[in-house]
Amino acid sequence: MKYHDLIYWFALKSVSGLGNAGCRLLVDALGSPADVFNASLPRLKAIAGIGEVTARQILEFRRWDLAENEFKLLEKNRTMIVTYKDQQYPRNLLNIYDFPPFLYVKGTLLQEDVPVAVVGSRLASAYGRFSTERLSRELALSGITVVSGLARGIDSAAHRGAISGHGRTIAVLGCGLDIIYPPENARLYETIPDHGALVTEYPFGTSPHKHNFPARNRIISGISYGVVVVEAGEKSGSLITARFALEQGREVFAVPGAIDSAGSRGTHKMIRDGARLIESAREIIEEISPQIARLKKTPPAPATGTVQKDINPESTIRNPQSVDPSTMPHDPGHDAVMRILSHAPLDIDRIIAETGINITDIQRILLSLELQGSIIKLPGNNYNIKD
């Protein structure tokens, strides 16, 4: 997008008291942010929902220096703006009430993304982190884009799982894109744009204030077809995301935990209240498929931004039980494991001993082979070749 256009977008968002809905009312009525600032007072007042006070604030706007500085920071941080008029804007997000008029994006948003949010407690248990990474890896291997919030605990595990599954992930931040929060996720912050995108509605320099995160959560659920909560206490912020998901008509899933774990009380309450208990990516995909089918029947209107080929998101989903190996990067570890497996069960400790592959990598390799349909997992962490 050109400098001239972006300046007007930044300026419009800076008008005091206008808000997201007001920005969209004006742009939809007049055509572009530039047209809004060039409109007369009577024309602005004639737009439903825009009163005289707001109209005068637009005409009297003088803080163009703030808009110009935001543009400079955009270039400095190698970030782009995606407006709701652009094809790259997440189409699901357009269906929520308070969607942002534009997003700051570092990385890539794709029309063919089929997003599912995976969220949970910052104080995650070892079980929670392991379950999250496994589930997110399954989703990524199945063609699902994993959405989360880059927070400590479950969110971080969700992003790592998607990346380890050679898939895409989107991190929605509660601060400006020039701020890494939490700081221990600096490496993940740098890695995600190569595998998806960092996204925020907040301008540069915005600190991670506590009140930003509930608003951030509506975007996490709004982008997604469904929200999976892995671990959540009774007052977890993840429950806010789940509530937004219900209000937005999204599917809500919960992963069960230990009955004596405080970190599972929120998820267990969700299950009692009607959230679907899930144990695998296949169950999630089966549930969201009708939503994707409806989307296929109602393609978005042509946008003013960069035109991309309209790809049916449903076609990007792979059956998690039969992933096409030709679509996956070749992993030499697959060959090492397949050489030692037979129709007789072999436990994971023996597989590690015979291949010399560490436990983290062997779990990833075994999951990948299982999803491809090459091997079968048996009780007691035993594996054999599939007939």
Side-chain angles (χ1 to χ4, degrees), residues 15-28:
V15 174
S16 178
L18 188 55
N20 293 333
C23 287
R24 299 195 309 272
L25 280 172
L26 289 162
V27 173
D28 286 345

Side-chain angles (χ1 to χ4, degrees), residues 2 33 52 131 172 182 229 231 246 297 307 310 327 352-353 363:
K2 296 179 181 178
E52 182 165 352
S131 299
V172 185
V229 181
E231 278 188 329
L246 289 171
K297 294 175 184 177
V307 177
D310 191 8
T327 66
I352 292 170
Q363 287 171 337

Side-chain angles (χ1 to χ4, degrees), residues 100 213 306 324 349:
F213 291 94
T306 304
D324 181 359
D349 292 333

Side-chain angles (χ1 to χ4, degrees), residues 137 140-142 162-168 195 318 323-335 364-365 368-369 372:
R137 192 159 50 241
L141 287 165
S142 304
I163 292 169
S164 72
H166 307 288
R168 284 177 50 78
H195 301 270
R318 298 186 292 274
V323 178
D324 181 359
S326 68
T327 66
M328 299 296 299
H330 180 69
D331 187 334
H334 288 199
D335 298 333
R364 171 181 55 79
I365 291 166
S368 177
L369 290 170
Q372 289 178 21

Side-chain angles (χ1 to χ4, degrees), residues 147-162:
V147 182
S148 201
L150 198 65
R152 298 179 179 94
I154 297 299
D155 288 19
S156 299
H159 295 303
R160 286 195 299 267

Side-chain angles (χ1 to χ4, degrees), residues 121-133:
S121 174
R122 288 172 170 80
L123 303 174
S125 67
Y127 161 80
R129 293 191 299 272
F130 175 80
S131 299
T132 301
E133 287 205 32

Side-chain angles (χ1 to χ4, degrees), residues 24-71:
R24 299 195 309 272
L25 280 172
L26 289 162
V27 173
D28 286 345
L30 299 174
S32 74
D35 293 326
V36 172
F37 283 100
N38 290 321
S40 65
L41 181 62
R43 182 70 183 94
L44 292 172
K45 288 169 57 180
I47 298 171
I50 304 297
E52 182 165 352
V53 172
T54 301
R56 289 192 179 279
Q57 286 178 329
I58 293 168
L59 295 178
E60 294 169 4
F61 182 80
R62 295 293 182 270
R63 296 307 311 271
W64 297 100
D65 57 321
L66 295 178
E68 290 175 359
N69 185 59
E70 197 71 3
F71 180 82

